[in-house]
Amino acid sequence: MKILVTGGLGYIGSHTAVALQQAGFEVLIVDNMSNSSIDVLEDIASITGETPQFKYLDLRNKEDVHHYFKTHREIDGIIHFAASKAVGESVENPLLYYENNLSTLVYLLQECAKYEIQNFIFSSSCTVYGEPDRLPITEKAPIKKATSPYGNTKQISEEIIFDTTQVSALKAIALRYFNPIGAHESVEIGELPLGVPQNLVPFITQTAIGLREQLAVFGDDYPTEDGTCIRDYIHVMDLAEAHVIALQRLLEKKNKTPFEVFNVGTGKGSSVLEVIQAFENVSQMPLNYKVVNRRPGDVTAVYADTGLANNELGWKAKRNLEESLRSAWKWEQKVKLKKKDY
Ligand code: NAD
């Protein structure tokens, strides 16, 4: 079966491409390399022995998207990762985000209708929940007004997909990711954030390797046990495997409704200080960090109720925080050796 992975050169897309190939799927990747590099293609192949079929494609170009599908009639399903994902940048440049995250989705869904592609997996996010009223958070929790244009694009995307499944043969699953971290165990692929990382773990590893002077911990006066924010950190390969299982559910027509949503997290919340402590244990070195003021837009705590994914999808995260951090640290050291562009 041929699966199109949009944004397949990116962080989660590349790990999912590996998991798909290892599950026997043929992977086709399209990407405009706005946040990734062509080298990733060979890095994927060095793990699986198979180079995915690749085409440079900017999904914002409707004509090019149409031409791609016209010339690739054999696609059985799509996993749609391509999007812009920096929350802060989305506040500064909302139209970039509405164009890149929404128009691209609409063009893809139009081609699905034209070429009868019925299986669609979408990268959503726990940001759709905002500040939760109850923890762990279930898929039934209310969607709160988004705190950024990025978060809003994920909410609107889910609505666009839902509406489309109501009037067409499309079947779709939105996976609401919690906080993906870590790298493939081979450390051939991993996360390569451009510029200053927005997320905790790449900031930790870049500080430890000497690329950043000091890690800023944004606030230790939150109403949590140690005062720092709590998140649900999931190993990127666990997340990648959830995509394969979700895709198989659609291909085998096991979905209960045309549009389904699943939380993809570990179910365990870890505070920023706990993550730092775990990293220090794994790396056997102290981390230079300093508590600074809160950062606007951060919610106090969010972690997943994974019951639905466990029971319905038959998926459960297998790797723990230490394992995830160990792989992230190994990856950072490898990146330094390879002198890849930061
Ligand atoms: P990433 O930036 O590493 O990967 C996205 C890929 O899409 C990149 O290779 C980029 O070049 C490509 N791309 C972007 N716009 C494109 C366009 N117009 N045409 C073609 N290719 C385009 O990001 P990621 O962390 O792998 O995230 C993948 C998806 O998961 C995104 O939709 C993101 O919003 C979502 N998500 C990520 C996280 C996270 O913490 N990483 C959390 C929740 C949801």
Side-chain angles (χ1 to χ4, degrees):
M1 289 230 160
K2 293 193 179 181
I3 306 303
L4 175 64
V5 180
T6 75
L9 296 181
Y11 175 41
I12 307 168
S14 57
H15 289 79
T16 303
V18 167
L20 284 167
Q21 286 184 330
Q22 288 177 336
F25 291 99
E26 189 178 334
V27 173
L28 285 68
I29 290 178
V30 295
D31 204 300
N32 71 351
M33 293 182 272
S34 54
N35 198 30
S36 54
S37 143
I38 192 67
D39 298 348
V40 173
L41 211 55
E42 286 316 311
D43 296 339
I44 294 171
S46 68
I47 301 171
T48 62
E50 207 181 317
T51 310
Q53 202 189 105
F54 175 73
K55 174 96 184 133
Y56 171 90
L57 179 65
D58 189 335
L59 292 165
R60 287 173 296 189
N61 188 324
K62 186 174 177 163
E63 280 310 306
D64 288 354
V65 174
H66 179 59
H67 183 259
Y68 181 84
F69 280 89
K70 210 170 151 188
T71 51
H72 294 79
R73 297 273 177 115
E74 69 287 23
I75 293 166
D76 298 293
I78 299 178
I79 306 187
H80 180 40
F81 293 103
S84 301
K85 63 166 184 177
V87 173
E89 185 188 44
S90 80
V91 175
E92 279 153 29
N93 197 345
L95 293 182
L96 178 87
Y97 275 68
Y98 288 118
E99 183 188 28
N100 203 37
N101 295 7
L102 297 181
S103 66
T104 54
L105 173 66
V106 171
Y107 300 157
L108 277 177
L109 293 177
Q110 286 170 336
E111 299 306 319
C112 286
K114 257 181 235 151
Y115 295 106
E116 294 174 357
I117 300 166
Q118 294 178 3
N119 307 299
F120 196 87
I121 310 287
F122 177 69
S123 298
S124 191
S125 165
C126 66
T127 54
V128 300
Y129 297 122
E131 181 90 53
D133 299 325
R134 249 182 248 145
L135 286 167
I137 198 151
T138 74
E139 291 81 352
K140 291 207 171 84
I143 301 293
K144 302 262 183 74
K145 183 169 167 39
T147 53
S148 70
Y150 167 74
N152 203 22
T153 67
K154 292 298 175 191
Q155 295 186 1
I156 299 170
S157 294
E158 286 195 7
E159 288 174 3
I160 291 173
I161 299 167
F162 171 81
D163 290 344
T164 310
T165 59
Q166 301 307 294
V167 294
S168 69
L170 187 78
K171 297 174 282 151
I173 292 179
L175 297 178
R176 290 181 181 155
Y177 312 160
F178 282 67
N179 291 63
I181 60 167
H184 188 267
E185 58 181 10
S186 66
V187 288
E188 291 296 335
I189 52 173
E191 188 172 12
L192 274 174
L194 285 181
V196 182
Q198 305 282 311
N199 297 334
L200 177 63
V201 171
F203 211 119
I204 287 179
T205 56
Q206 289 196 3
T207 306
I209 206 99
L211 208 60
R212 312 269 156 220
E213 208 184 311
Q214 191 173 51
L215 169 75
V217 174
F218 297 108
D220 65 353
D221 56 350
Y222 285 92
T224 62
E225 213 156 282
D226 63 24
T228 61
C229 291
I230 292 176
R231 297 288 179 272
D232 183 338
Y233 297 93
I234 175 166
H235 194 295
V236 67
M237 281 313 295
D238 278 325
L239 179 56
E241 286 156 15
H243 288 79
V244 177
I245 292 173
L247 179 71
Q248 281 162 338
R249 179 178 174 89
L250 292 182
L251 292 169
E252 289 163 16
K253 302 189 175 20
K254 288 189 177 150
N255 54 308
K256 299 259 164 75
T257 54
F259 178 63
E260 295 181 313
V261 173
F262 295 99
N263 283 343
V264 188
T266 64
K268 184 177 179 301
S270 304
S271 74
V272 175
L273 293 182
E274 282 170 344
V275 176
I276 292 173
Q277 175 74 61
F279 178 80
E280 288 180 332
N281 290 343
V282 159
S283 65
Q284 292 290 301
M285 57 191 274
L287 191 76
N288 181 17
Y289 72 90
K290 184 178 162 201
V291 177
V292 298
N293 288 340
R294 289 183 182 198
R295 183 171 63 170
D298 276 341
V299 300
T300 302
V302 59
Y303 50 95
D305 182 317
T306 58
L308 194 67
N310 298 163
N311 301 328
E312 264 303 315
L313 276 185
W315 168 90
K316 198 174 185 342
K318 293 184 222 145
R319 298 145 177 107
N320 64 22
L321 181 64
E322 283 70 25
E323 204 174 338
S324 306
L325 290 171
R326 195 169 295 116
S327 69
W329 182 224
K330 269 170 74 184
W331 167 248
E332 192 69 70
Q333 292 167 295
K334 165 98 182 270
V335 169
K336 190 179 181 188
L337 278 180
K338 279 177 89 173
K339 291 202 174 25
K340 286 215 183 197
D341 263 355
Y342 281 95

